[in-house]
Amino acid sequence: MTADTANDRPVLEVTNYSMAYDTDEGRVDALKNVSLKVRRGQTHAIVGESGSGKSTLAWAITRYLPGNARELGGAILLNGADMIGMPRADLARTRGRRVSMVFQDPSSSLNPSMKLGDQVTEVLRRHRGMTAAEARAEAEAALARTGIREPARIMDRYPHEASGGEKQRVIIATAFACNPELIIFDEPTTALDILTAKQILELFVKLRDETGVAALYISHDLGLVSRIADTVSVLYQGEVVEDGDAETVFDRPQHPYTQRLLAALPRPQDRIAVEDPQDTTPLMSMEHVSVRYNVPSLLTRLFDRDAAPHFGARDISFDVRPGELLGIVGESGSGKSTIAKAATGLNPFDGRITFDGRSFDSRDRFDRDYRRQVQIVFQHPDASLNPRETIGRILARPLRLYDLVPRDGIADRVRQLLEMVLLPPEFAGRYPHQLSGGQKQRVAIARAFAAEPKLVICDEITASLDVSVQAAVARLLVELQSRSGAACLFITHDLNLIRQLAHRIVVMQHGVLMDEFDAADATAPGRADYTRALLDAVPVARMPTLPQPARALLS
Amino acid sequence: MRRILSSPNGIAGSVLLLIVFAIALFGPWLAPYDPQLFHAQNRLEGPSLQHLLGTDQYGRDLLSRVLNGAPTTVLFGLGATALGVGVGSIIGVIAGVAGGRTDGVIMRILDGMLAMPELLFTLLIVTFLGGGTGQALLAVAVTFTPGMARVARSSVLSVRTREYVLAAVARGESRAWIVFREVLPNAIGPIIVEATIRVSFAIMIGATLGFLGLGAQPPSTEWGLMVSEARQFMFRNPWCVAIPGLAIAMTAMGFNLFGDALRDAFDPKRSHG
């Protein structure tokens, strides 16, 4: 075989592959007739929403399927070698040596009881037959290539002593260590902060170009994929609905599903906010609010003089105006949720919160009236509804608690609330587990608005939802806001989304307020360096050519 | 229930429990003889048509005695568990919900109690209170309390920080509502499972106490006591030890298997066979 034909042959070739899971409810199709090719030096992306089967495909390729998986036909070839029929012993040699994988969550894909260095050298000794000393030298070189500053020191640390970014670099170094033919990346940046994710992505591009490895990149983030992939397959309910050259797919999507996905990406220029409120007298103001965690007790201080409380948020001051949507942006650990919890009485705080002319200097002063007027919606739709109550009872609770509706009118009001968030009235009799994530989040929003609040705090409410659901929930929120006139404090890490929704934006880092500006001035000169870094890390997705306007596609 | 019956363990456990409960309910009526009646002519006999499972050292019919002992033994297990689980759960829930210093104090006291081996602790209490069924029941319940409190507390803690509970706190709900409507219904699963498995321990500890002469007193038909009384005659008629022993084993196994199946049924992440 000449070098030419070897280059022509795809590194990974999946043809008409189908698979199903046997469950209590019968057989569920996970993948239907999936075909794709990844060539040397190229990145093929698989995009799809949760449940589309993208991770299942990755497991199928590495032959790591659960016991209830049933393969219904098709072929998976790695450089011409059949993976499906491969004997166990060969598979063990193939994994790590010829195919390696990088997972989503770096904190759970490393063994916590092994030093980072040992986890890299293990692969080298196992697959490349190196001695301990050789492996150590090679591992150090591999780590250095990933941009870790002092590889020798990192190698002597345990996973919990390294940051998320460092851990993901170690995993990537391990994946590249044996010069594999194919590397599968399963959402490698999803669990990381915006700035770290950007660095990891740059590292991926650099290493790919240096080594010429074939990469299969699985992600739900279309904006990200459009920047790094050569070819792309769009997966929807286990089926490839559209594939081809990345540029073509992202610029001129053909399938309605792809069109909808791309239209749903948040772009700051399509504003979906209520009109700018005229009233600038603050509805709520935070004055020098600080939240401390783990305040050491007298006894602890006696033994450990250095014991000091940890500040979740320090000296935060800002206003929320009536009817506006104020965005709070920051990475994880920046203190944005801490502020939300302080404002709803879930965290004790120092400082003062003034709301509607009344001032509170401790959470114990929050009375029923304050709690009714300030409502909160949480991030995880699965956790924010009591699984043992029906939707109807969940929605009726604030009505009863605050005596908003006469007893015989509650059922009617619940129906109205469901209608308001575009859910059918028969949902009142269902339990949360019978609803999808987006539907649950709508119920949580309806519950907040049921109290007829003046301020609704939304803590990352779209973060765990798929792109298209996220867009719908955001639109719904704005719609409810314009109907009720309530102000909204919207906490998020997604800058593009918040620039679409907010009137003003507050940026937080390490518990401190860094920047505050009008949404329109986000890119204006004079922004804090940190704000600019965040903006640079998430480029705005291009608008594809669509057969009809984005709004029409989403409704 | 369907999920419990979908595993062989679950079916075996359910069947055993069904048999045990049937015997406990109807046993005394089914018994062919008075359990205390002496048949001086037929002492220490093996199974025969007259005495289906044989007789003991006084010529009392073993089948009748086992059937009569079932309610005492099973009720003992259920009663001791219910008391221990009830008190333990209340303590655990209080500790879990209150948190902070209350939690610290309660848990350290319970840790102290847990440091004592279970049987030793029970024996200590019985020695203190004197022998008898009621005392033995109380002793077993007290021994169970710290363990159950731990289970209840950890279960409450895992639920307490869920967002629906936070939402209720933020709404300004009363403490009672949060505990009884939001936390407890979601935390009760592990408590029930643990309680089921503990019934079998209670029965075995009860039997042990009976055997040691510290539980039920003769001429009671409590199974542990029966084993103990017949011990000296084991080599002349093994049946009089084996029959009550087997009855204890069957009951304990039934509760154990059922409890395991119940735990699997509650666990949504259980692996598919």
Side-chain angles (χ1 to χ4, degrees), chain A residues 92-126:
Chain A
R93 271 195 298 276
T94 305
R95 287 191 203 127
R97 177 79 187 86
R98 296 178 59 192
V99 182
S100 55
M101 213 167 159
V102 175
F103 296 100
Q104 174 172 353
D105 190 353
S107 52
S108 62
S109 42
L110 286 167
N111 181 345
S113 62
M114 250 172 104
K115 284 184 184 164
L116 292 170
D118 295 341
Q119 311 206 26
V120 186
T121 48
E122 184 194 24
V123 180
L124 290 167
R125 297 178 64 180
R126 163 97 173 72

Side-chain angles (χ1 to χ4, degrees), chain A residues 270-468:
Chain A
D270 335 327
R271 295 271 300 166
I272 40 171
V274 289
E275 271 176 45
D276 288 6
Q278 299 307 311
D279 191 0
T280 53
T281 47
L283 169 70
M284 172 190 257
S285 36
M286 297 258 174
E287 291 158 53
H288 308 290
V289 171
S290 298
V291 177
R292 289 175 299 170
Y293 290 123
N294 296 331
V295 181
S297 69
L298 195 67
L299 203 64
T300 317
R301 264 189 314 215
L302 207 63
F303 290 111
D304 179 7
R305 277 165 202 290
D306 297 330
H310 168 76
F311 276 91
R314 193 186 282 242
D315 204 15
I316 302 289
S317 306
F318 61 82
D319 295 338
V320 186
R321 297 168 189 162
E324 81 167 342
L325 194 147
L326 177 73
I328 300 188
V329 183
E331 298 185 281
S332 54
S334 63
K336 47 195 200 307
S337 291
T338 304
I339 283 297
K341 285 186 176 167
T344 45
L346 294 172
N347 270 344
F349 63 90
D350 303 326
R352 182 196 299 275
I353 294 178
T354 310
F355 183 83
D356 213 7
R358 298 195 307 143
S359 136
F360 305 88
D361 53 8
S362 131
R363 66 163 166 173
D364 303 325
R365 313 233 169 217
F366 291 156
D367 52 7
R368 173 161 294 210
D369 200 41
Y370 175 86
R371 288 178 184 277
R372 179 181 76 72
Q373 294 188 358
V374 179
Q375 290 286 314
I376 185 165
V377 183
F378 291 99
Q379 172 175 1
H380 304 285
D382 300 319
S384 57
L385 306 177
N386 186 341
R388 307 264 166 192
E389 303 269 2
T390 61
I391 302 300
R393 292 168 65 120
I394 289 171
L395 289 180
R397 187 57 201 161
L399 304 177
R400 278 179 222 265
L401 181 69
Y402 305 124
D403 272 329
L404 293 169
V405 182
R407 244 153 226 293
D408 50 352
I410 285 180
D412 277 339
R413 181 72 183 131
V414 166
R415 203 169 317 121
Q416 280 173 19
L417 285 167
L418 281 171
E419 224 166 85
M420 201 170 78
V421 293
L422 311 175
L423 293 175
E426 60 268 23
F427 271 36
R430 297 208 186 155
Y431 284 91
H433 69 91
Q434 295 168 301
L435 274 58
S436 72
Q439 289 168 339
K440 275 185 259 195
Q441 203 58 298
R442 281 163 196 266
V443 173
I445 292 173
R447 174 174 63 185
F449 277 93
E452 296 165 24
K454 286 190 178 160
L455 174 65
V456 177
I457 299 177
C458 300
D459 189 359
E460 297 262 19
I461 59 167
T462 58
S464 51
L465 302 175
D466 280 320
V467 193
S468 55

